[in-house]
Amino acid sequence: MQAAILGKKIGMTRVFDEAGSSIPVTIVQAGPCPILQIKTQESDGYEAVQLGFQNAKPSRTTRAEIGHAREAKSVPQKFVREIRLVKPTDKQRGDMVTVELFEEQGIKFVDVVGTSIGKGFQGVMKRHNFGGQGASHGTERKHRSAGGIGAGGNRGFGRCIKKGKPMPGHMGHERVTVRNQRLVSVDKDRNLLLIKGVVPGPKGGFVMVCKAVTKG
Amino acid sequence: MRNRLIEGVEKDRMRKSALQFDIGDTVSVGVKIIEGNKERVQPFIGTVIARKGGGLNETFTVRRIVNNEGVERTFPMQSPRIAGVEVVRHGKVRRAKLYYLRERVGKARKLRERRAAADEGVTDSAPAEGAPVRSRRPAAEPEAVATV
């Protein structure tokens, strides 16, 4: 199976390499993840495994989830994601995926998918890096506003605002992927991955770590 | 409070024995320098004026005067580039951060020496008796004691 695992962001620290340079690392607690379901070309039209991470409280589960997990000889999981596979997997339903997978395959770079920190409703300066208006020269109560959002009836757009026009609105709390982060080390005993640089989301946020698609 | 998983990761990578020195001490820091394929240790001698952070992020700042110009270097405590720290002289200080030395000129820069007979005996037994003789950051102290 190609290297992929679910986990939780723990926080950041630094480590030193042999040359003595400091490397900023994010610690991700990953796995062990039960394989809840295996999807195959014949039955589903594509190859994938469904992984779970962290047992859910029984009071937070439904009968459907319990039944689904029981077939994998497991219990309902807090965080469940499907991993698309290129080749059919050699693992069985109910097997555990651990960080050892990354070590066995000698993975050097990973992609990390997470949910970014929510910023709430934000204006255009923070959300889209607009410049805002002048601090003086007669500007009144409009120092952080967007300015014009399009003229009426021009360039065939009619009397309406162009779709996708950057405006104020909700920022953050969306799926974010950071690609090609170096995997500094794998801690089998504690189920930890040390990833150089940043990982999206707050501490304690769930993340998916996969072998880098375009590197290594 | 720091996360215990982070602490575990850091503990594996820390020095087996912590560097022993106090704020105000005049120290000689052995800095490993790689020239081509040769490695040598260069000393940086000065006064420890600050100690910051914890775990792998802990750093200390050493100040010295070169050609009548103040020079400060901040070293990561756990960096493998620090070969060792040798205490040349103990300084008698009452603060954890000696930033006030930056404003001092000439002879006023000198710290009074902490004499072994007067102070040292008390210092060594202080943790056991639980009597805080010198004001010190409590965060730094238990670490040093634990590794001894």
Side-chain angles (χ1 to χ4, degrees), chain A residues 5-56:
Chain A
I5 201 163
L6 306 180
K8 191 168 98 170
K9 174 168 163 179
I10 299 298
M12 290 191 75
T13 180
R14 70 163 94 181
V15 297
F16 293 97
D17 65 10
E18 307 81 47
S21 336
S22 161
I23 306 170
V25 292
T26 306
I27 299 175
V28 173
Q29 185 182 27
C33 297
I35 296 178
L36 295 175
Q37 193 183 356
I38 293 176
K39 300 201 171 180
T40 59
Q41 189 70 41
E42 299 88 69
S43 59
D44 306 279
Y46 62 98
E47 299 287 343
V49 289
Q50 191 187 67
L51 298 182
F53 178 64
Q54 281 195 343
N55 297 348

Side-chain angles (χ1 to χ4, degrees), chain B residues 55-80:
Chain B
L56 282 178
N57 291 316
E58 190 169 0
T59 60
F60 62 98
T61 304
V62 179
R63 180 178 172 85
R64 66 172 299 184
I65 306 296
V66 181
N67 294 337
N68 227 3
E69 186 67 55
V71 176
E72 286 180 14
R73 270 187 85 172
T74 303
F75 300 101
M77 195 79 94
Q78 303 297 335
S79 169

Side-chain angles (χ1 to χ4, degrees), chain A residues 178-190:
Chain A
V178 289
R179 305 209 307 189
N180 306 329
Q181 301 287 70
R182 189 152 75 81
L183 185 60
V184 177
S185 84
V186 176
D187 190 334
K188 281 187 290 191
D189 303 329
R190 301 194 189 94

Side-chain angles (χ1 to χ4, degrees), chain A residues 107-111 179-181 211-216:
Chain A
I107 304 293
K108 294 234 165 56
F109 293 93
V110 292
D111 293 344
R179 305 209 307 189
N180 306 329
Q181 301 287 70
K211 176 186 181 301
V213 176
T214 56
K215 199 173 181 181

